[in-house]
Amino acid sequence: MTVSASKPALTTLVRGACPHDCPDTCALAVTVADGRVVKVAGAADHPPTAGVLCTKVAYYPERIYHPDRLLYPLRRVGRKGPGARFERISWEQALASVAGRFREIAEADGAEAIVPYSYAGNSGLLGYGSMDRRFFHRLGAAQLDRTICASAGAMGYRATIGASVGFDADNVVNARLIILWGSNSVVSNLHFWRLAQEARRRGARLIAIDPCRTSTAEKCDQHIALLPGTDSALALGLMHVLIRDDLLDHDYIARHTLGFDALRPRAMAYPPERVAAVCGISTTEIEGLAREYGSTRPAAIRTNYGINRTAGGGMALRTVACLPALTGAWRDAAGGVLLSTSGNYPVNSVALERPDLMPNPTPRTINMSTIGHDLLHAQPAIKALFVYNSNPVAVAPHAGEVLRGFARDDLFTVVHELFQTDTADYADILLPATSHMEQLDIHKSYGHLHLQVNQPAIAPLGEALPNTELFRRLAREMGFSEACFADSDEDLCRQAFVWSDPRLAGQSWEGLKADGHARLNLPRGEAPFARGGFPTPSGRCEFYSQMLADLGLDPLPDFIAPREWRHSPLAAEFPLALITPPARNFLNTSFANSPRFLAQERSPAVHLNPADAAARGIADDHPVRIFNRRGEFHARAVVTDRVRPGVAMATSIWWRKLSPDGRNCNEVTSQALTDMAGGATFYDCLVEVACL
């Protein structure tokens, strides 16, 4: 008998880029065997990634080939909501249904009754906003104000520094002091943590500022556990000590800042005793941190967007961003502050999005953070939603209103997704999306200075389509004849950046496509603002912001108290401040349907300090209800001193349908907005916790 040898698998290695909403924007080396992804690794030749991936992305083949992947267009049959059933239809039927309904709504109610709803489920420049924006601009739909994550902090930072720029993270290895302010880097910025660890090996001290002793805080030399929403008070307390004890760089202040004489009395109104009472920490911690920061060079502050999710979130980032200019920390390449690097990239958003296609130059705008209220109360009424790159039924605040809004019988909802999420349960038409392994894209980063290409590793599964192709087809179905709707994905990549910008000197789409990644043409090992040159209107670090004054906001740093905190009348009924940072194995609701990661997380959990748990008769691992006047959800209690007294920490964000009680933490969060830019206030939330 003759035995034939099995044919060896055809194996290729494809360059990719992680599309998830994370500052690391890792470069990927994707191994494909016989048309199937078999391994995902970090690209060793990409300096920020250096061959290392987080666990979530390392197991990406499980996500691509998850048995619940949506592979074909579907139409809902029966009622909306949990348990919704769908039937398969063709793409032709799906596109005709969407286009037909949009035409009807536009004719009867105006196109601004149609609202796109998307965020950063795909952060590639094509997937996040290109052909989709062109489509909705040409349609004349309402615009979406994408505020749910970072808008307040970005505005506060921009009012001070001028743009989303800061120190080059590569230089932080030479810092002598690193303050991780509201940044759980081990979980949400792993590759920065690698650099911070190298700095520590070279003698740096690491200090974490966070209400909880996170995975990052427990590895630092010091942890300052302030109350949620009090970050700007702490920053003002540090300013007070720096000024009082003359730990200032007077030359830098005189040459490169604006408004110090106005800032001084504001800071002097925040002595350590007042700040300690506000923040729930000791005067010793404030005095010690200020003196250490004012006397150590280089000193770097790495902050993140968690601190912008309270009533004064914009002011919080603004106030922290003032600190390096007071001490002259910007003089050092390893000093200063970093929130985001995204402002370094010359993105050509006008070319990608084509706002010139809008028939109304001042269209109606809907704030994504208040979608629940607007679906129920906006006038004129919202008649259609097109949801992609987001899962608002799970992630938007005040879920009770969100659910009632999505459940409206007269609301036509289209969802483009990889899975039948909580939001997909409310869809009239459900469309299959490609993963990033099945599409072309081009990426910037908000944590490093490299451009990257994501090459498709495999053909789309089933009949899944990327955002770009979906909106091309829908534009044709609507009869849009503009030439821009025929642009290919490669055309869009060529349009994505201003390639003539000096920061891209020597770069082109063709070269980037061949090489996979490239660093922006920015000086290495140099301090960006050693000699001033801030991208503000004045060219200086602006302690006094005329931009904010013109908007009717306080032009100086100040403390804006949370709407819901221990000094609120509400605290008598709901005394615990709830924060809802991401679970280690989830990224918002992405990965939250993975059997592997669900098993590791076990179930929704709320972490309580032993004193708070004992006062309520709550034992470790017991079921509890977390509630306020907006709603409630259930979780198991984790009793731990990693959470300071007065704070409850619920790991998030669970799919509602995968939670034991069919709810998640956004039952209790508020649709109230931040001081700047209409941001969400997820961490401005008082609750009570009780045994079930």
Side-chain angles (χ1 to χ4, degrees), residues 399-411:
E401 285 204 336
V402 176
L403 290 169
R404 290 194 295 275
F406 270 83
R408 279 173 38 202
D409 288 334
D410 65 333
L411 179 70

Side-chain angles (χ1 to χ4, degrees), residues 393-395 399 422 589 632-633 653-656 659 661-668:
V393 169
V395 305
D422 293 329
T589 62
E632 72 172 65
F633 67 103
I653 300 173
W654 284 75
W655 286 24
R656 300 172 61 87
S659 300
D661 66 328
R663 291 172 287 191
N664 69 17
C665 60
N666 281 316
E667 293 288 337
V668 299

Side-chain angles (χ1 to χ4, degrees), residues 115-122 127-130 132-133 136 144-148 368 385-392 416 467 471:
V115 178
Y117 194 102
S118 70
Y119 198 62
N122 184 330
Y128 178 77
S130 60
D132 57 308
R133 309 298 171 90
F136 289 112
L144 185 73
D145 197 3
R146 292 173 171 83
T147 61
I148 204 162
M368 70 185 308
L385 276 178
F386 198 121
V387 181
Y388 57 104
N389 292 353
S390 188
N391 184 10
H416 185 220
N467 292 348
F471 286 103

Side-chain angles (χ1 to χ4, degrees), residues 108-164:
D109 303 284
E112 290 185 354
I114 302 168
V115 178
Y117 194 102
S118 70
Y119 198 62
N122 184 330
S123 293
L125 293 180
L126 273 58
Y128 178 77
S130 60
M131 196 62 71
D132 57 308
R133 309 298 171 90
R134 295 178 182 187
F135 174 82
F136 289 112
H137 287 157
R138 172 63 176 79
L139 179 63
Q143 296 294 291
L144 185 73
D145 197 3
R146 292 173 171 83
T147 61
I148 204 162
C149 177
S151 62
M155 182 174 174
Y157 192 90
R158 186 169 67 251
T160 310
I161 304 299
S164 292

Side-chain angles (χ1 to χ4, degrees), residues 323-615:
L323 292 170
L326 290 171
T327 63
W330 285 118
R331 294 186 187 275
D332 302 310
V337 64
L338 177 62
L339 172 65
S340 169
T341 62
S342 61
N344 290 289
Y345 293 86
V347 176
N348 195 344
S349 57
V350 170
L352 282 176
E353 300 179 9
R354 293 295 303 274
D356 59 296
L357 295 169
M358 288 190 289
N360 179 1
T362 56
R364 177 191 197 187
T365 299
I366 298 296
N367 187 327
M368 70 185 308
S369 297
T370 58
I371 190 62
H373 177 272
D374 290 340
L375 284 173
L376 295 175
H377 304 293
Q379 291 298 327
I382 297 170
K383 292 299 184 69
L385 276 178
F386 198 121
V387 181
Y388 57 104
N389 292 353
S390 188
N391 184 10
V393 169
V395 305
H398 197 171
E401 285 204 336
V402 176
L403 290 169
R404 290 194 295 275
F406 270 83
R408 279 173 38 202
D409 288 334
D410 65 333
L411 179 70
F412 178 69
T413 302
V414 184
V415 176
H416 185 220
E417 255 293 358
L418 276 78
F419 301 101
Q420 189 175 330
T421 61
D422 293 329
T423 304
D425 287 342
Y426 291 83
D428 294 283
I429 300 293
L430 181 52
L431 304 173
T434 48
S435 73
H436 76 283
M437 298 288 182
E438 302 152 60
Q439 63 195 39
L440 178 69
D441 216 326
I442 188 168
H443 291 253
K444 62 182 178 70
S445 171
Y446 64 97
H448 57 70
L449 298 174
H450 289 248
L451 298 85
Q452 293 164 244
V453 174
N454 180 75
Q455 295 285 0
I458 57 174
L461 299 188
E463 295 179 6
L465 293 179
N467 292 348
T468 50
E469 180 59 19
L470 164 59
F471 286 103
R472 269 190 214 99
R473 294 188 185 187
L474 195 53
R476 287 197 296 270
E477 189 71 26
M478 293 290 295
F480 298 164
S481 58
E482 289 81 1
C484 67
F485 292 109
D487 285 345
S488 68
D489 286 357
E490 285 223 20
D491 292 332
L492 293 172
C493 288
R494 290 186 182 92
Q495 297 163 18
F497 290 104
V498 181
W499 297 99
S500 60
D501 188 283
R503 291 168 291 185
L504 293 178
Q507 297 294 336
S508 66
W509 161 244
E510 285 70 23
L512 188 65
K513 181 172 65 171
D515 296 338
H517 55 81
R519 190 182 189 276
L520 290 171
N521 184 32
L522 292 170
R524 296 177 184 270
E526 291 189 15
F529 305 125
R531 291 171 292 279
F534 290 89
T536 56
S538 66
R540 296 167 174 249
C541 177
E542 296 193 350
F543 301 141
Y544 181 97
S545 170
Q546 188 61 47
M547 178 189 81
L548 294 181
D550 291 344
L551 293 171
L553 301 173
D554 192 334
L556 290 169
D558 204 356
F559 168 58
I560 298 173
R563 290 186 183 88
E564 301 183 14
W565 70 318
R566 63 178 179 170
H567 298 299
S568 308
L570 198 64
E573 187 177 357
F574 304 107
L576 296 174
L578 178 72
I579 58 174
T580 52
R584 182 162 190 163
N585 291 293
F586 302 164
L587 201 167
N588 298 320
T589 62
S590 296
F591 305 99
N593 65 329
S594 160
R596 176 185 300 276
F597 300 137
L598 285 168
Q600 291 182 31
E601 294 295 333
R602 290 181 53 198
S603 64
V606 61
H607 298 240
L608 297 170
N609 185 270
D612 291 326

